[in-house]
Amino acid sequence: MASTRFVYDFDEPSAGGRELLGGKGAGLAEMTQMGVPVPAGFTITTDACRAYMSNGKTLPDGLGEEIERHVSALQEKAGKRFGDANDPLLVSVRSGAAVSMPGMMDTILNLGLNDEAVQGLAGTTGNERFANDSYRRLIQMYGEVVDGIDGHGFEQELTDLKRARGVAQDVDLTADDLADLIETYKAIYNEETGRDFPQDAREQLTRAVRAVFDSWDSPRAQVYRRTYGIPDDLGTAVNVVQMVFGNKGDESGTGVAFTRDPSTGEQGLYGEFLPNAQGEDVVAGIRTPAPLAEMRGKLPHAFEQLLETMRRLEEHYRDMQDIEFTVEDQELYLLQTRSAKRTAAAAVKAAVDMVDEGLISREDAIARIDPAQLDQLLHPMLDPTAHWEVAAKGLNASPGAASGKIVLDADTAELRGKAGESVILVRWETTPDDIHGLIQAAGILTAHGGMTSHAAVVARGMGKPCVAGCDALSIDISARTITLGGQTLSEGDVLTIDGGTGAVIVGEVPLVAPQVNDDLETVLGWGDEHRRLRVRANADTPEDAAKAREFGAEGIGLCRTEHMFMAEERLPVVREMIMADGEEGRRKALDKLLPMQQGDFEAIFEAMAGLPVTIRLLDPPLHEFLPSLEQATDERMRRRIKQLQEANPMLGTRGCRLGLQWPEVYEMQVRAVIRAARAVEERTGEAPLVEIMHPLVAFEEELRRLRELTVHVAEQEAPEVEYLCGTMIELPRACVRADEIAAQADFFSFGTNDLTQTALGFSRDDAEGKFLTYYLEEGVLKKNPFETLDVSGVGDLMRIAVERGRATKPHLKLGICGEHGGEPKSVAFCHELGLDYVSCSPYRVPLARLAAAQAALAERGAAEYAASH
Ligand code: ADP
Ligand code: MG
Ligand code: MG
């Protein structure tokens, strides 16, 4: 039987990388082997964890002996013995999975101390205070992690002791104070577990290893994995690391640092340092840490070592690192390194700089920027170096982050907003009557409603953050308070929301301003040389069209005409058309709309100057243009509303079904398009590339008739104007009958929002925030199919449509204009399908450009390419 090895020393090469050793273990081994100062230690592999889990939580055979051998080797290196009463070897036991799960699993420091050894440590170091400080930390951490004792009891005792001694900070406690604290802690331990604190170092070690394995299965770790789609069967590694002590006095300390600024990507000194402290003290906020630069004056030798080490780590990993270090008696030790989490701006800047510095290739730079993150570049985001706690989560309805005072109605929002205050409008849900408040709010938080709720749609349109459908939120409007996952807050209290993740945070979190920069253009420009997909934008107005071009859009893939119908001065005319008794009345109203639509199209064609523009004819059901029955006062209007009422409007009289029943509507629209095209060509000398698109086609016959209508009107108006006539593909039947439909179409554009709804039988508004949330939480589905294309289902329908459509017309133009057109994974899929273009909201154009370039590079085997450079 091949013997499985479960343990590797940091200085031993192993075949497995982070999958086997975990991220932390792999980093420690790699640093050790490149000669960076790291305390000695070893890693128990994720294989061991998996074996432990599948063995019904018993340690696999031989693991005990293997650990013992590595403890011996560690003793050799350290020149101290584990469990020794006089000069004990102390270790930390640290979890570390392949995928980083910050704060989810546990670490124990100072393991190996007991009542005797603490005396020994005091003796050999001549520092009783330090020895006691280390022991009290061990009892607390071990109690919490191994025995599940609630940490608050320990914290409370520490606070009480400081108060009794009249000191503000734990460093001001004396050795004797800490000796008292140890006794109290041991009493807590005994009370909570019914046992004395274990005095045997090896027992401590074994139980700690098991506790770390067990923490992989803790409820919070499970929830975390589900949230971030991390598989449950990876397991965690355990790192046993010789302790180095930052709590020995003022020539010692602990800190964290980034090799570049994680907010901006600039080179320079970024990090924090806390003298005379251990482990998590820096992030725990026990004392205020000093900026890293202050370390230079206090510990010049260690500081120089740190700078040199940071440089070497970047050169080695060819990426920005986030490190943890400790200084013991002026000597530097690295305890962790990993790729730094960073803002999109920092990622872009660092990537461009690293190409300049010769650290990475252009292709590396393109590959390593996360397109999903680019969204942030255009919106403020939470400062990644700040610490915060998420109080509740809702739907990430509109990206960006905002902090502000809670206001509970639109009037207050308007008042305070206009007075220059930053406010977050908090409502059960919003209605069009809230619009004045929405305009003034920095962000919007609602308890009800999904991704297509009023608040969500309006917020996205305005480009401001929105978290919608936050279940944990309730509002007491008479008391002017809200409760958020158990906490009660009053109007005027400060709240922070992150519409990119759906997080709601109590209090203020520092924000990083959006930074559109030349560096992004540089990387996107490199990417443009590789991508095959064109990128267009969905834009309904000349302003959106202009913005889209600024971001590099190569045309408009979806111009919705209904928004033009909704405009304030036009709605009465549209209603007149809907209310008309017959065709003649409708035509009269449509004649008034014709010049308005023509004007809209002219402005958009001009903004796009010769680039393709796809215009979709009227799509929504007519009731959307009428008031609700409750609001309508006019009796004739009420009757009409009732006539138009449908049980399921999404599947009702809309799209081409409407266009076929009331052909005069589409005739007017086609006329407006053709006239606008001719006018713009005459004016500018440049002919727009017009594409007329018919929505919701399921049958060839529908499109055949509509094409006839289109051709007829165009001939009448201006036979010289060139245009294409095509269709949305957004119904399953259209996909499977694409060969027939293609006979009538010059192009297809996949409407994946409706296609997802109809293929899955999910109505989006009834799914998101409701059963779909349950599905995602319970892992029935891994991803929201409205955000990331359901490649195996909806994607297969698309594949069929592409194959059959092109079988009829090999050069059929193919695109996508659903929201998926701006989602990186879906863009990659569109690349693979061989579509000609993707179309997405203007703000997502940069992201789609990058995703398309990455897909092209991945296809070309960018990995080998980069490796050979
Ligand atoms: P996390 O994954 O939560 O960061 P770590 O295992 O990295 O947990 O450890 C928690 C803290 O303890 C970190 O600040 C780390 O640097 C410190 N630490 C861990 N092991 C040692 C050690 N052997 N000596 C000194 N400090 C340590
Ligand atoms: Mg750490
Ligand atoms: Mg549609």
Side-chain angles (χ1 to χ4, degrees):
M1 201 181 82
S3 68
T4 322
R5 274 196 63 180
F6 287 128
V7 185
Y8 292 88
D9 275 338
F10 294 162
D11 55 11
E12 266 181 297
S14 79
R18 35 190 315 135
E19 278 71 41
L20 184 69
L21 301 174
K24 206 177 281 171
L28 289 165
E30 216 162 325
M31 286 195 290
T32 304
Q33 289 164 40
M34 65 187 271
V36 166
V38 171
F42 56 84
T43 301
I44 305 170
T45 63
T46 56
D47 277 346
C49 180
R50 283 188 293 267
Y52 173 79
M53 292 294 167
S54 57
N55 270 347
K57 306 211 165 169
T58 47
L59 296 175
D61 284 349
L63 179 61
E65 294 87 76
E66 222 182 309
I67 292 177
E68 194 49 50
R69 274 202 305 282
H70 288 270
V71 168
S72 299
L74 188 57
Q75 295 182 141
E76 276 313 294
K77 281 179 205 145
K80 296 171 199 256
R81 303 193 60 78
F82 191 53
D84 193 294
N86 294 317
D87 186 13
L89 167 67
L90 303 188
V91 297
S92 62
V93 173
R94 317 166 65 187
S95 63
V99 194
S100 149
M101 295 169 51
M104 280 306 115
M105 290 181 307
D106 294 308
T107 290
I108 303 172
L109 304 180
N110 309 325
L111 204 111
L113 277 179
N114 57 28
D115 294 350
E116 253 183 323
V118 71
Q119 311 284 355
L121 185 66
T124 46
T125 58
N127 190 340
E128 189 187 350
R129 190 198 171 281
F130 150 71
N132 289 351
D133 185 56
S134 302
Y135 195 26
R136 64 101 185 167
R137 290 172 188 264
L138 169 66
I139 300 168
Q140 170 168 358
M141 280 185 263
Y142 187 94
E144 287 181 36
V145 174
V146 177
D147 293 289
I149 302 174
D150 182 357
H152 289 111
F154 295 113
E155 298 297 346
Q156 190 59 53
E157 290 297 341
L158 179 59
T159 308
D160 290 351
L161 180 65
K162 283 192 286 191
R163 189 168 308 133
R165 297 293 184 270
V167 300
Q169 296 184 328
D170 55 2
V171 278
D172 300 325
L173 293 171
T174 63
D176 288 342
D177 296 335
L178 292 168
D180 291 346
L181 193 63
I182 288 169
E183 291 312 314
T184 321
Y185 277 13
K186 280 175 22 190
I188 295 179
Y189 185 92
N190 182 290
E191 200 170 302
E192 295 285 334
T193 64
R195 290 185 308 268
D196 283 338
F197 182 76
Q199 297 293 307
D200 179 46
R202 281 183 170 69
E203 179 193 339
Q204 289 176 5
L205 180 60
T206 314
R207 290 195 61 209
V209 169
R210 299 176 67 116
V212 171
F213 284 163
D214 289 337
S215 72
W216 176 258
D217 252 359
S218 70
R220 63 177 174 163
Q222 290 185 24
V223 169
Y224 186 93
R225 288 199 291 275
R226 213 169 291 142
T227 311
Y228 292 96
I230 301 169
D232 278 327
D233 55 5
L234 296 180
T236 179
V238 182
N239 302 290
V240 177
V241 190
Q242 180 180 359
M243 282 304 300
V244 286
F245 299 103
N247 56 336
K248 263 188 169 172
D250 285 336
E251 303 207 327
S252 305
T254 181
V256 294
F258 293 86
T259 55
R260 299 178 194 225
D261 185 332
S263 301
T264 64
E266 305 273 351
Q267 275 188 308
L269 277 181
Y270 297 92
E272 293 179 326
F273 181 73
L274 195 57
N276 197 8
Q278 192 175 48
E280 316 258 48
D281 291 359
V282 176
V283 288
I286 292 176
R287 279 175 282 148
T288 311
L292 199 54
E294 285 181 23
M295 192 179 147
R296 175 175 276 150
K298 293 183 180 131
L299 297 165
H301 168 67
F303 186 77
E304 285 311 315
Q305 272 187 307
L306 180 66
L307 291 190
E308 166 65 10
T309 305
M310 292 193 340
R311 197 191 53 73
R312 287 185 60 197
L313 287 174
E314 265 212 352
E315 212 168 271
H316 179 79
Y317 287 102
R318 304 190 309 143
D319 194 8
M320 190 173 156
Q321 299 293 297
D322 163 0
I323 63 174
E324 292 176 2
F325 66 91
T326 283
V327 178
E328 175 179 343
D329 293 333
Q330 303 221 37
E331 276 308 309
L332 175 81
Y333 297 92
L334 269 277
L335 288 159
Q336 189 167 334
T337 188
R338 62 188 157 197
S339 274
K341 286 218 170 34
R342 61 203 94 174
T343 62
V348 170
K349 166 127 184 68
V352 172
D353 285 354
M354 285 184 189
V355 171
D356 287 346
E357 292 160 25
L359 271 179
I360 61 175
S361 70
R362 287 181 175 189
E363 287 73 16
D364 288 335
I366 296 163
R368 80 164 42 155
I369 295 167
D370 176 5
Q373 228 197 356
L374 286 187
D375 233 11
Q376 296 171 356
L377 270 184
L378 305 153
H379 304 279
M381 65 169 293
L382 303 179
D383 183 343
T385 62
H387 306 295
W388 64 80
E389 218 170 285
V390 175
K393 273 205 132 187
L395 298 169
N396 51 340
S398 176
S403 274
K405 291 182 180 159
I406 298 170
V407 293
L408 298 179
D409 63 75
D411 293 345
T412 315
E414 185 180 36
L415 203 73
R416 293 201 171 187
K418 280 193 172 156
E421 288 180 60
S422 176
V423 297
I424 307 285
L425 180 59
V426 182
R427 303 280 284 163
W428 283 111
E429 55 202 349
T430 63
T431 72
D433 295 332
D434 293 326
I435 194 76
H436 57 296
L438 294 170
I439 291 169
Q440 291 299 332
I444 301 145
L445 170 64
T446 65
H448 292 312
M451 299 294 279
T452 55
S453 64
H454 179 263
V457 172
V458 172
R460 283 201 292 273
M462 293 178 175
K464 65 175 63 173
C466 174
V467 173
C470 179
D471 287 336
L473 167 69
S474 66
I475 302 172
D476 183 341
I477 198 72
S478 55
R480 309 295 289 183
T481 59
I482 66 169
T483 56
L484 201 61
Q487 300 183 67
T488 302
L489 302 167
S490 302
E491 190 162 37
D493 289 348
V494 174
L495 204 64
T496 300
I497 61 170
D498 182 350
T501 61
V504 184
I505 299 144
V506 175
E508 183 166 349
V509 179
L511 304 180
V512 189
Q515 287 141 322
V516 187
N517 53 35
D518 296 344
D519 292 324
L520 177 60
E521 238 345 284
T522 305
V523 181
L524 291 178
W526 294 338
D528 287 345
E529 290 168 23
H530 296 283
R531 74 185 155 87
R532 194 173 65 211
L533 279 171
R534 309 263 99 191
V535 176
R536 300 195 194 177
N538 299 348
D540 307 337
T541 63
E543 297 76 50
D544 281 356
K547 199 176 298 160
R549 288 205 55 188
E550 230 173 83
F551 290 139
E554 298 161 295
I556 291 180
L558 177 64
C559 172
R560 304 178 190 85
T561 51
E562 54 267 22
H563 289 188
M564 304 168 182
F565 278 37
M566 297 277 190
E568 213 180 331
E569 67 286 3
R570 302 180 188 183
L571 201 54
V573 189
V574 174
R575 287 181 179 170
E576 183 188 323
M577 189 256 310
I578 297 173
M579 297 298 298
D581 282 329
E583 189 186 324
E584 204 177 321
R586 280 199 292 277
R587 283 196 186 273
K588 263 195 11 225
L590 288 166
D591 284 345
K592 293 188 215 166
L593 286 172
L594 175 62
M596 304 181 194
Q597 284 247 290
Q598 184 183 333
D600 294 331
F601 295 141
E602 285 183 27
I604 289 173
F605 292 156
E606 268 184 57
M608 295 312 286
L611 295 174
V613 177
T614 311
I615 290 167
R616 181 179 72 187
L617 304 185
L618 195 68
D619 184 44
L622 292 178
H623 75 83
E624 288 196 10
F625 300 100
L626 298 179
S628 70
L629 199 55
E630 299 83 65
Q631 285 169 342
T633 45
D634 178 82
E635 201 36 53
R636 224 168 63 88
M637 178 86 81
R638 291 174 60 83
R639 231 179 331 184
R640 195 84 183 100
I641 294 169
K642 281 187 197 152
Q643 276 171 1
L644 289 173
Q645 250 167 10
E646 290 179 320
N648 195 340
M650 191 207 44
L651 302 177
T653 313
R654 52 171 286 221
C656 68
R657 302 162 193 175
L658 201 66
L660 285 166
Q661 280 191 63
W662 287 6
E664 54 278 9
V665 178
Y666 279 16
E667 274 174 38
M668 179 281 284
Q669 293 197 291
V670 173
R671 208 177 300 282
V673 171
I674 299 293
R675 285 187 185 177
R678 188 182 49 195
V680 169
E681 183 174 1
E682 275 168 10
R683 199 158 50 235
T684 66
E686 198 159 19
L689 295 175
V690 180
E691 302 176 345
I692 297 174
M693 180 157 77
H694 295 279
L696 218 71
V697 164
F699 298 90
E700 180 188 1
E701 182 60 14
E702 290 170 327
L703 190 59
R704 194 194 63 73
R705 292 183 185 204
L706 291 172
R707 186 182 183 92
E708 206 170 80
L709 173 153
T710 307
V711 172
H712 177 73
V713 174
E715 290 281 308
Q716 252 182 5
E717 280 302 323
E720 72 281 8
V721 169
E722 287 189 37
Y723 65 95
L724 300 180
C725 176
T727 178
M728 300 276 292
I729 297 289
E730 51 189 338
L731 294 170
R733 190 181 195 286
C735 293
V736 294
R737 287 295 165 191
D739 47 348
E740 295 163 5
I741 293 172
Q744 308 298 332
D746 304 320
F747 66 88
F748 283 175
S749 177
F750 288 100
T752 48
N753 297 346
D754 270 314
L755 188 57
T756 299
Q757 297 204 84
T758 50
L760 275 57
F762 285 10
S763 120
R764 186 169 185 176
D765 282 339
D766 296 314
E768 283 176 335
K770 296 182 182 149
F771 74 85
L772 184 54
T773 310
Y774 170 86
Y775 268 31
L776 294 169
E777 275 167 6
E778 293 302 312
V780 179
L781 289 180
K782 294 267 177 291
K783 290 247 153 68
N784 178 346
F786 292 106
E787 280 172 9
T788 303
L789 196 74
D790 163 38
V791 166
S792 56
V794 176
D796 245 23
L797 284 169
M798 292 170 71
R799 197 187 301 277
I800 290 169
V802 168
E803 281 165 14
R804 297 190 182 170
R806 283 200 170 139
T808 302
K809 278 198 182 147
H811 298 295
L812 187 70
K813 207 182 209 185
L814 298 171
I816 175 176
C817 63
E819 272 173 55
H820 299 103
E823 193 277 325
K825 289 208 175 63
S826 312
V827 171
F829 178 70
C830 292
H831 171 91
E832 186 202 315
L833 271 188
L835 300 192
D836 297 297
Y837 67 88
V838 297
S839 186
C840 55
S841 96
Y843 288 105
R844 294 196 150 230
V845 166
L847 175 167
R849 286 167 68 193
L850 182 65
Q854 289 180 344
L857 281 175
E859 188 180 76
R860 255 183 40 197
E864 295 112 65
Y865 181 89
S868 70
H869 277 66

